[in-house]
Amino acid sequence: MGIMLLAIFLVLMIIGVPIAFVIGIVALLGISGIPYTPEATVAMKMVNGLDSFVLLAVPLFILAANLMNSGKISEKLIELALAIVGPIRGGLAHANVLVSMMFAGVSGAAQADTAGVGKVLIPSMLRKGYDKETAVGVTAASSTVGVVIPPSIPMIIFAGLTNASIGALFLGGIIPGILIGVGMMVLIYFIALKRNYPKDAKVEMKVFFKLLLEAIPALLTPVIIIGGIITGFFTATEAAAVASLYTIVICMFYYKTLKFKDFPKILFDTLALSSLSLFALAAASALGELMSYYQLGAMAQEFFANNIGAEWLFILIIIVFFLFIGTFMDAIPAMILFVPVILPTALELGIDPVHLGLIVVITLAIGLITPPYGLCLLLAAKIGNMSTERSFVAVIPYIAIVLVVLLFIAFFPDIAFYIPKMINPSLF
Amino acid sequence: NTNEVDAGEDGKIKIIAAHNQTSPDNPYQTGLLKFKEVVEEESGGKMEVEVHAGTFGTEESELVEKLQLGAADVILASPGFMTQTGIREVDLFSAPYLFNSYEHWLAAVDGKVGQEMAQIINEKSDNSFKLLGYWSAGVRHYYGKKPIESVEDLRGVSLRTQTSGVISDFWKATGAIPSGISWGELYQGLQQDVVDSSENAYPFFVQQAHHTTSNGKYITETAHDYTTRFLLTNGEKFDNYTKEQQEIILQAAEASVVAEREATMEQDEEYKEKAIEDGAEVNEIDRQPFIDIATPILNDFAKEIEVEGLLQQIRSLED
Amino acid sequence: MKKMTNAIEKIQITIGVIFLCVFFGIIVLQIVTRHLGISVVWTEEAANYSFIWAVFMGAAVMVNRREHFNFDFLVQKLKGKKRAYLSIFNDAILFIFNICIFLLGVQVVSEFWNYTWSSIPQMKMGYVWLVIPVMAATMLIYTTSHFVEHIRIIKAKEVHE
Ligand code: NA
Ligand code: NA
């Protein structure tokens, strides 16, 4: 039965049936194959899968990001980033990474960063003589920090699934996120030397301060979000609404870059983008139900207990597994399906849920830039008008950087835990 | 029809039993494992029970839905969630200070009150639900950032409690502010000052480590709820079993009731000790002022959901 | 057909966006009321259910716009009529799946119609479960219109040959 379902899964996927529907169809076939379960479970489970308060953070963080793009906040951040790192060789590429890191502090979704920053920076990088590979590669790869640096939608979902502290996960993402960003900038520096990319003239202090002052309300967003969560002013889910509300307020009344007539499009884009991954999640819930009929979690636990005793090996297996899953599935359904399966084993091995969360989230972030299904890669390739294959070759060096940081965090978690432990030791 | 009795390929009858607690040493698990043991033993292996601990949905509402659809055969539900199926009368059992001791609770559910309620559930659900037994989820107490010495101490205190009507009415009347935070977000909520306090039975909040948070370490034994849980099966499906199979299920249910209540009693004690060991502070309190607040609320509530007769019976059992 | 699907899509987008705004507003309300010390117990439930409606309405619209992610390398490899045939086959699969989901959705709605919200007992759960058949029905309409489109392409090709 299991093998047949897997075969159907693969065939439907290859002939081009949308992946969310493939998941749903396999769930329906599997459940109808069990004599004592009614098929209506599938319809029921699709609704129940979405009936969780934490999931509301998904569209709300996407809304915040779309507001930032429409309200031209992204562009202000780009100007500031350029003023800071522009004078280094390959300045535009460095700015691309830096602005993604700033953007990450507001948005829990990486795709919006690729779209917003890519639309501005890819054309100007090409104009200034950067080759397409670098323009598209840097744009796609740097957006992955969006889900590592808090706030982060995948982290919220993970916390919801495991009861891990969302505050600790968020704080734990800061150092890995910065490491990834800095690592990419170092790589860019060497590429820039080799290919002799241009650098910008230094900006005057006066101009720099003007830009900084302009960007401050936007840069305050992460402080407000993280601060609000840590102090308990609002929950992580509510923080997503606060981020959107704050962005609306500063764009409409401070920057005056957002008008009422912009809202229908922003809201539709938000609905469109979030319903795609959430519909896949609904279908995945139905498939998860099938997996729980087969008691896969208990099977996994038994398998690991009998065959793999070592923590490091378990972690490596998890990384490889989620790297594979991430190539064709969104982070959210992937976690909904497989985190419950691996969690009992992880707890038994004594792995802290926050540590596990960082590993899973960073691993799945790589899935954002691996084909065939890497949203950020597809978006950047589309903006840069480059084939997916060529784009993937372009991001490989940057994936290597994310992998290095990932392994580092996986085996030396204390580095990532430095900030959360410093701010709130009781989180552990 | 989903309510037919489906025998598997091997001719065995498979019964899916599920509760919403993920911890394997939860009393619910003890109860359902007992159910499984008796069914399989008495049927000589002809009937098989598969127990799902939380893997089948951690939400009770989902378990109830599955029971109705026929996706699960034996489940556990609390009064609040049963109410959501449209049977308002069951909500009486979630009312605070309905029972004043464990013995009082036993006398009610194991006597005529219990029988009457079982009949209501069966009739109002059109035989979708058949009650197999009354389980307990322990005694609920207050726990928060400061101990309660008198009712006045609750004034202005935000308290995480069920969002069902009569419970929130009661806490509002004490001066507390009921707050709707999901169980999953509560640990962080207590830790980060989103809410000042909560209320639950020892095994549940100690397992979630709520007593280790700054807003959960003071436990006041308000004993406002001697909880009732309904062990349910699908009535239409039950009617399709043979007389002999029905007997086996009823016998197993009876055994599970004994096992589950015993496990709950033990754990109530065990987790109270654990909480104290971990540094939580427990105090007792005169419950009469709370009961006085609850009494008129209960009267109105019973009138509203048309169970005044049942309330009278329960009160007459008081010692 | 085109005209009708466009109209349906427009209505569906509007409903989805309204529900999106509703749950956004409710969450803001929840934060504000909690800090004012007022307890509004229905916020979480109402926000959740608006969210569910928004997502499924959005998901149906995305079927019409063919935005649900799929692997298109096989489709891209094929040309002309063969490609249209494969598209028709895929549409047929979606069509059958949606018919199943529609029927199962109707079953679920009728089973759970009288269930009530936990925070507002006057509200029926039926209004929430209704989202499944509505979503499936609209997806069916959109898929049918794709179907018709592909058949037109094949017919056009046949005329050319
Ligand atoms: Na972020
Ligand atoms: Na991918």
Side-chain angles (χ1 to χ4, degrees):
Chain A
M1 185 79 187
I3 293 185
M4 210 175 78
L5 289 176
L6 194 66
I8 293 171
F9 191 102
L10 291 175
V11 169
L12 290 178
M13 201 165 85
I14 289 166
I15 65 169
V17 176
I19 200 102
F21 287 90
V22 175
I23 295 172
I25 290 166
V26 169
L28 183 59
L29 290 174
I31 287 193
S32 62
I34 304 176
Y36 45 85
T37 48
E39 287 74 32
T41 310
V42 174
M44 187 187 87
K45 210 47 215 185
M46 285 176 77
V47 172
N48 286 345
L50 288 180
D51 191 3
S52 161
F53 191 63
V54 292
L55 291 177
L56 273 66
V58 178
L60 292 174
F61 272 129
I62 292 177
L63 176 62
N66 283 339
L67 285 163
M68 278 180 63
N69 285 337
S70 283
K72 308 247 164 40
I73 290 191
S74 325
E75 284 164 39
K76 292 201 193 307
L77 293 179
I78 291 170
E79 278 175 43
L80 178 68
L82 265 177
I84 299 171
V85 292
I88 308 172
R89 193 158 293 284
L92 269 172
H94 290 296
N96 195 328
V97 177
L98 189 61
V99 80
S100 289
M101 289 163 73
M102 296 178 187
F103 200 98
V106 186
S107 160
Q111 309 95 295
D113 169 53
T114 317
V117 177
K119 242 177 263 166
V120 182
L121 278 185
I122 292 179
S124 56
M125 282 173 87
L126 295 179
R127 237 180 289 119
K128 290 254 175 96
Y130 289 73
D131 49 330
K132 244 185 189 176
E133 268 78 11
T134 309
V136 170
V138 170
T139 303
S142 63
S143 348
T144 56
V145 298
V147 292
V148 183
I149 293 180
S152 155
I153 290 172
M155 284 182 189
I156 294 175
I157 306 292
F158 184 89
L161 284 169
T162 59
N163 263 342
S165 153
I166 187 67
L169 263 173
F170 274 9
L171 293 173
I174 295 176
I175 289 181
I178 292 174
L179 284 178
I180 292 173
V182 171
M184 285 182 183
M185 287 167 85
V186 171
L187 175 67
I188 289 166
Y189 183 74
F190 287 111
I191 295 176
L193 281 185
K194 211 173 116 201
R195 306 205 182 152
N196 202 20
Y197 285 147
K199 53 181 172 187
D200 286 7
K202 274 208 173 78
V203 287
E204 282 173 54
M205 266 308 176
K206 219 172 70 188
V207 180
F208 173 75
F209 277 113
K210 190 176 157 275
L211 287 173
L212 183 66
L213 210 67
E214 272 236 298
I216 276 181
L219 289 175
L220 273 179
T221 323
V223 180
I224 293 170
I225 294 175
I226 309 297
I229 293 172
I230 293 172
T231 57
F233 202 80
F234 36 69
T235 67
T237 311
E238 292 167 350
V242 173
S244 293
L245 195 65
Y246 179 74
T247 314
I248 291 176
V249 170
I250 59 173
C251 288
M252 289 192 81
F253 304 108
Y254 181 80
Y255 294 126
K256 300 198 167 61
T257 45
L258 201 60
K259 304 215 166 44
F260 274 113
K261 67 172 173 37
D262 300 330
F263 276 89
K265 187 179 178 312
I266 296 172
L267 290 169
F268 173 71
D269 288 347
T270 305
L271 183 71
L273 201 57
S274 45
S275 66
L276 288 177
S277 65
L278 289 166
F279 181 70
L281 179 150
S285 306
L287 188 58
E289 181 75 0
L290 180 67
M291 285 163 62
S292 64
Y293 269 110
Y294 285 109
Q295 303 191 303
L296 235 55
M299 269 158 68
Q301 201 173 358
E302 201 176 318
F303 171 79
F304 281 108
N306 293 336
N307 300 297
I308 292 144
E311 185 188 327
W312 65 271
L313 197 55
F314 173 73
I315 290 179
L316 269 188
I317 291 176
I318 286 186
I319 290 175
V320 172
F321 178 74
F322 277 105
L323 272 179
F324 169 70
I325 293 294
T327 58
F328 61 89
M329 205 182 268
D330 255 343
I332 302 175
M335 286 195 292
I336 298 269
L337 282 177
F338 299 109
V339 167
V341 176
I342 60 162
L343 185 68
T345 314
L347 293 178
E348 198 157 291
L349 288 172
I351 299 171
D352 188 291
V354 177
H355 184 196
L356 182 71
L358 286 178
I359 295 171
V360 170
V361 168
I362 299 174
T363 310
L364 286 170
I366 296 175
L368 288 164
I369 47 172
T370 51
Y373 181 46
L375 269 181
C376 293
L377 184 74
L378 295 175
L379 266 170
K382 202 164 150 194
I383 299 168
N385 200 12
M386 195 158 89
S387 75
T388 320
E389 293 80 26
R390 254 182 84 197
S391 312
F392 178 56
V393 174
V395 294
I396 287 176
Y398 305 96
I399 290 180
I401 301 233
V402 186
L403 272 177
V404 170
V405 175
L406 170 63
L407 291 174
F408 209 58
I409 298 304
F411 297 107
F412 304 99
D414 284 338
I415 296 164
F417 288 172
Y418 180 75
I419 292 183
K421 277 187 175 155
M422 181 180 71
I423 292 183
N424 190 350
S426 74
L427 290 176
F428 289 89
Chain B
N1 190 320
T2 51
N3 295 320
E4 277 163 27
V5 179
D6 304 293
E9 293 143 23
D10 44 7
K12 279 187 185 174
I13 285 176
K14 192 157 197 166
I15 293 174
I16 303 226
H19 60 81
N20 70 333
Q21 296 295 315
T22 43
S23 158
D25 57 349
N26 188 280
Y28 294 175
Q29 181 73 357
T30 312
L32 283 187
L33 287 179
K34 188 73 190 174
F35 179 81
K36 173 185 168 76
E37 185 194 313
V38 175
V39 166
E40 291 180 353
E41 208 179 276
E42 290 298 314
S43 68
K46 290 232 171 67
M47 296 165 88
E48 192 187 347
V49 179
E50 194 176 288
V51 177
H52 287 261
T55 50
F56 236 41
T58 46
E59 301 291 338
E60 281 178 77
S61 52
E62 197 173 315
L63 294 180
V64 174
E65 286 155 18
K66 279 186 178 151
L67 183 67
Q68 172 139 14
L69 277 187
D73 301 312
V74 173
I75 62 124
L76 211 66
S78 55
F81 284 103
M82 286 302 296
T83 309
Q84 288 170 46
T85 66
I87 312 171
R88 299 182 66 205
E89 291 85 343
V90 283
D91 214 13
L92 179 64
F93 280 177
S94 59
Y97 293 109
L98 179 67
F99 307 108
N100 62 11
S101 68
Y102 185 65
E103 289 67 34
H104 185 197
W105 176 79
L106 278 181
V109 297
D110 288 348
K112 267 178 68 186
V113 173
Q115 285 168 12
E116 212 167 298
M117 189 58 91
Q119 204 175 350
I120 291 172
I121 289 173
N122 192 250
E123 278 167 12
K124 285 267 178 151
S125 69
D126 279 335
N127 200 20
S128 274
F129 306 130
K130 175 180 170 57
L131 191 116
L132 292 176
Y134 291 98
W135 286 14
S136 162
V139 193
R140 292 170 85 101
H141 303 295
Y142 158 96
Y143 57 98
K145 62 153 77 161
K146 57 175 192 188
I148 302 296
E149 307 286 354
S150 70
V151 179
E152 283 71 48
D153 291 342
L154 276 171
R155 187 156 305 280
V157 172
S158 64
L159 174 108
R160 186 267 180 189
T161 184
Q162 286 182 350
T163 50
S164 151
V166 67
I167 298 175
S168 106
D169 287 349
F170 165 75
W171 288 108
K172 273 186 207 157
T174 65
I177 302 156
S179 186
I181 287 189
S182 64
W183 182 244
E185 279 189 306
L186 183 54
Y187 174 80
Q188 281 143 45
L190 288 166
Q191 194 174 49
Q192 291 157 6
D193 231 7
V194 180
V195 278
D196 301 326
S197 62
S198 178
E199 50 86 36
N200 219 312
Y202 282 112
F204 293 89
F205 72 84
V206 175
Q207 274 181 16
Q208 295 284 326
H210 291 172
H211 65 294
T212 61
T213 64
S214 53
N215 284 6
K217 69 176 292 195
Y218 294 101
I219 302 159
T220 301
E221 296 200 322
T222 44
H224 52 274
D225 188 3
Y226 285 88
T227 54
T228 310
R229 294 293 176 269
F230 304 109
L231 182 67
L232 298 167
T233 189
N234 186 310
E236 292 162 42
K237 215 162 171 175
F238 185 84
D239 292 344
N240 285 332
Y241 290 124
T242 64
K243 261 268 158 346
E244 197 192 344
Q245 289 162 341
Q246 290 181 353
E247 285 299 324
I248 290 171
I249 290 173
L250 292 175
Q251 193 186 337
E254 222 165 285
S256 77
V257 165
V258 176
E260 195 274 345
R261 288 180 189 171
E262 198 175 314
T264 300
M265 294 272 275
E266 267 169 35
Q267 285 206 0
D268 231 24
E269 204 46 47
E270 183 187 323
Y271 280 99
K272 179 180 175 177
E273 275 162 30
K274 182 176 175 358
I276 295 169
E277 263 170 46
D278 292 347
E281 286 183 32
V282 179
N283 73 311
E284 290 184 6
I285 190 171
D286 174 20
R287 284 161 35 210
Q288 197 53 50
F290 290 93
I291 295 171
D292 293 340
I293 293 174
T295 303
I297 295 174
L298 254 65
N299 290 343
D300 291 347
F301 181 59
K303 196 168 182 182
E304 187 193 322
I305 61 172
E306 295 167 9
V307 287
E308 286 160 297
L310 277 177
L311 181 63
Q312 283 313 321
Q313 283 187 58
I314 291 172
R315 284 188 174 152
S316 71
L317 294 168
E318 233 165 318
D319 34 83
Chain C
M1 190 87 198
K2 197 91 210 139
K3 235 180 179 166
M4 188 183 78
T5 52
N6 281 344
I8 293 173
E9 196 204 65
K10 207 162 186 179
I11 296 168
Q12 198 156 32
I13 291 172
T14 314
I15 295 174
V17 165
I18 288 175
F19 277 116
L20 176 73
C21 296
V22 166
F23 76 75
F24 178 33
I26 291 177
I27 293 180
V28 174
L29 179 78
Q30 174 168 307
I31 304 170
V32 172
T33 51
R34 192 177 54 239
H35 285 283
L36 292 176
I38 308 164
S39 104
V40 186
V41 285
W42 50 265
T43 49
E44 186 164 325
E45 220 179 2
N48 273 356
Y49 298 149
S50 313
F51 164 77
I52 290 171
W53 264 92
V55 169
F56 284 127
M57 292 303 100
V61 171
M62 292 297 103
V63 166
N64 195 30
R65 303 196 171 193
R66 296 173 207 266
E67 294 277 348
H68 284 279
F69 179 76
N70 68 331
F71 296 127
D72 58 356
F73 36 72
L74 191 64
V75 182
Q76 295 296 341
K77 263 216 179 99
L78 299 174
K79 293 249 150 50
K81 250 166 86 174
K82 276 191 184 143
R83 188 168 179 172
Y85 278 126
L86 181 62
S87 299
I88 285 185
F89 182 73
N90 287 350
D91 283 342
I93 289 175
L94 284 195
F95 195 85
I96 295 168
F97 177 70
N98 278 319
I99 285 186
C100 295
I101 292 299
F102 177 77
L103 294 174
L104 297 173
V106 169
Q107 189 191 339
V108 165
V109 170
S110 63
E111 291 275 1
F112 302 140
W113 181 264
N114 280 322
Y115 280 34
T116 59
W117 293 25
S118 69
S119 56
I120 314 173
Q122 291 79 15
M123 290 289 281
K124 286 186 190 309
M125 277 304 291
Y127 312 144
V128 180
W129 292 107
L130 200 58
V131 72
I132 290 285
V134 170
M135 173 196 76
T138 46
M139 282 182 175
L140 274 174
I141 294 171
Y142 299 141
T143 313
T144 309
S145 91
H146 294 171
F147 223 82
V148 173
E149 216 170 288
H150 287 130
I151 288 176
R152 198 172 293 146
I153 291 173
I154 291 175
K155 285 235 173 93
K157 290 262 165 32
E158 273 167 355
V159 172
H160 277 284
E161 274 161 10

